[in-house]
Amino acid sequence: MTLAMQQAAEAEARGEVPVGAVLVKDDNVVAVGSNDCIGQHDPSAHAEMQCLREAGKLVENYRLLDTTLYVTLEPCAMCAGAMVHSRVSRLVFGAKDEKTGAAGSVVDLVRHPKFNHQLEVNNGVLEQECSEQLSQFFRRRRKEKKEQKRELKRLEAVKSESNAPAS
């Protein structure tokens, strides 16, 4: 999970939401991924998807049997579906996602009994650290947006003053 958190930090350094993923097989790292939706202009460029894509290319197979995916944030429905289709054996995630989590928080797609594959799930691994990484990012982002709005208002006021008729 520490390596996944490092991937998340790399995403944050690029201005992305800090989520990281690491795929492991037989105690060896197969692939890593981090969010890159903004940079790639691709809503599917989540950390998990990036990691699964890289792994598929490396092993030359879309089936990623007997693997464990470590992710800093509970996967969304898209990523959960990709894990089921790629036959990842086990999912380990840090922070729960109470808004879009698809591994138990909102829905549980990775263990749905009607699907032809279910994953073993372990959650809460470094949960506090993963949650804090995300919380700090969003706190900073909200503060930056607030400062941008304040600066925009200041510039508009200066512009209005310069356009006012002289008395």
Side-chain angles (χ1 to χ4, degrees):
M1 188 62 75
T2 303
L3 184 54
M5 290 183 72
Q6 290 170 3
Q7 288 295 308
E10 289 181 23
E12 182 172 6
R14 295 189 312 271
E16 302 279 351
V17 175
V19 178
V22 178
L23 189 72
V24 174
K25 181 174 180 152
D26 300 325
D27 294 324
N28 295 309
V29 173
V30 176
V32 298
S34 58
N35 272 3
D36 202 18
C37 298
I38 297 167
Q40 290 192 28
H41 310 290
D42 180 357
S44 72
H46 289 191
E48 302 94 323
M49 299 296 283
Q50 301 291 84
C51 187
L52 295 174
R53 286 179 184 131
E54 181 183 335
K57 289 175 186 174
L58 289 171
V59 301
E60 297 181 342
N61 196 334
Y62 74 99
R63 295 284 168 96
L64 303 171
L65 303 172
D66 303 315
T67 58
T68 298
L69 185 65
Y70 293 86
V71 189
T72 57
L73 179 65
E74 180 178 2
C76 70
M78 171 185 66
C79 296
M83 287 177 230
V84 170
H85 285 292
S86 64
R87 304 298 192 269
V88 169
S89 300
R90 182 172 163 235
L91 167 65
V92 178
F93 69 88
K96 290 183 179 181
D97 186 342
E98 300 295 339
K99 294 181 180 178
T100 62
S105 290
V106 177
V107 295
D108 196 348
L109 297 179
V110 296
R111 293 179 286 202
H112 196 285
K114 296 264 183 180
F115 288 169
N116 61 344
H117 176 74
Q118 293 83 33
L119 283 73
E120 176 188 336
V121 177
N122 301 99
N123 63 21
V125 176
L126 296 180
E127 181 174 13
Q128 188 63 39
E129 294 88 339
C130 292
S131 293
E132 189 55 32
Q133 190 175 35
L134 285 157
S135 294
Q136 284 179 2
F137 170 80
F138 285 112
R139 272 194 300 272
R140 190 184 78 250
R141 192 180 215 185
R142 283 189 298 272
K143 183 180 176 186
E144 288 169 355
K145 286 192 184 265
K146 200 179 228 182
E147 289 171 359
Q148 286 174 345
K149 280 185 178 181
R150 196 175 302 131
E151 180 63 12
L152 187 59
K153 282 185 179 182
R154 187 190 69 74
L155 292 172
E156 287 173 355
V158 168
K159 185 178 178 184
S160 293
E161 287 174 12
S162 67
N163 290 335
S167 28

